[in-house]
Amino acid sequence: MNVLEFCRPETHPDIPNVWNVLAPYSAAAQAEQGLSFYKQIYREPAAVHKKLQHITNKEVEQINRRLPQIISLADPYANPKTVSEQHCQDFSLPYLFRLLCGLNPVRGGVVHICPYCSGLLEKNKLVRVETRTCVPKPYADILSEYSQAEKLIVTGQQCIHTETVSRFFVLHLINI
Amino acid sequence: MPRTKQELYALLSDAVVEMDEDTSVALSNESVEAGYDAFETIDQGLAKGMERAGKLFDESEYFVPELLMCADALNAGVNILKPYIKTEEQSEKHRIVIGVIEGDTHDIGKNLVKLMLSSAGFEVIDLGRDVPPISFVENAIKENAEIIMMSSLMTTTMDGMKETIQLLNEKGVREQFKVAVGGGPVSSGFAEKIGADGYSSNANQAVKLANEWCRQIK
C-alpha cells in the first residue's frame, strides 16, 4: 500500500504529512522477519503481548507527537490467508483498537484503515460504521478533504486504491 | 512391549500435526532404539504428518503459524533420525531455485513455500528477495536446478517474471526448467500469459506442483 502514490504533491499540494503505518502486530512481525514472530506467538505468548503493548504505546506516542494529517493503517501480517480470525482477535485486533483509541481526537486529520482490519473491528463490535455519500470522486480526494478536519476521522471498509467512490465509510470507535 | 513400526509412525505423524516437538524427538529416539529404518520413519511418520498439516492448511483449519510449528516438530525428529539414514537411501534431492522478483521485498509467502518444500524433501536454493531475472536464470543453470519458483506481491514487479522466462528462452535453456509463479496479485491466467508452466496460490499447492513435476522428470 502506498498512499504517496496517489497523494502526490502535484495533485494534492495541501497534504504535507502522509504516513503509512503498520498496526502493532505487523510492526512486531516485520521487526522479527515474519516467520520467527509467528513461532514466538506460540512459544512465548505473554512476552509477545508485552511487546505488542510496547509497540502500541510507541506508535501512539509518535503519531500524537508528529501529527500526520493522513495515516494509512494496515496490518498485512495479520491477513486472513496467513492467520486465523481467532489469532487476529487475540493478538492483532486488541492492539489495533488500542492504537486508535490512543490517538488524540482533537488533533484533526484522517486515519484510513485497510478493509480487512476495519471489517474485523466492526465484526467484533469495536466500531460503528456510518455510511456517507458524496459526488463520485477519487478516494484520495476524500482523504485529502478530511485531512483538514478539526477532529480526527477514521475511515475504512474499502481499499485505499479505489479510484472513484460515491460513498465512503466513517468508523466510530465504541468505548468498551 | 515395544510399539510396532506402524504404531510408532502413526504417533510421529500425530506429533507433527499436533506441533509437539518434544514428542517428535522422543518417538524418533524410540524408533532409533527399536532399530527401525530411519528413512522409513521420516517418510512414513514425520513426512506424513506434514502432509496432513498441509491438508489442514488447505481446509483453512491451520494457518501459517501452525504450519511453522508443525515444520519445527518435523525438523526436530529429522535431526535425530538423519545420522541413521543408510547411504543408499540418500537419493539425490530435486533442486528448486526460489526467490522474490526484483523490486519486491515481501517474502513471507516465499519463505513459507521454501519451508514446505524443504519439509517435503526438496533441496531449495533460496535467492532471497528483490532478485533480478538474470539471477534466477544464472543460478538455476549453475545449481543444476529442475524447477524455478518466483513470487511477487506487487503488480508493478510482475513483469520481472515474464522477463525471466524470456531470458530462459533467449539462452536456449527454457526446456531444462519447470517454472512456477505465485504471490498475491498473480493468477493462473497471468502464469499462462507469460509462458510459465504452473501457478500456485499457496505453499501446499506449490509442493503438490513440484511433486507432480518431479514424477514427470523421473
Side-chain angles (χ1 to χ4, degrees), chain A residues 146-160:
Chain A
Y146 277 110
S147 71
Q148 310 300 324
E150 284 180 9
K151 278 197 172 182
L152 184 70
I153 301 278
V154 181
T155 65
Q157 310 295 80
Q158 62 193 343
C159 178
I160 199 162

Side-chain angles (χ1 to χ4, degrees), chain A residues 109-125:
Chain A
V110 59
V111 177
H112 161 84
I113 308 178
C114 89
Y116 177 67
C117 293
S118 56
L120 270 184
L121 284 166
E122 187 190 6
K123 197 174 172 185
N124 286 275
K125 298 187 169 45

Side-chain angles (χ1 to χ4, degrees), chain A residues 11 22 29 38 46 73 79 103 110 129 134 145 154 173:
Chain A
T11 52
L22 286 176
Y38 291 134
L73 185 59
N79 77 65
L103 300 183
V110 59
V129 179
C134 60
E145 285 164 25
V154 181
L173 303 184

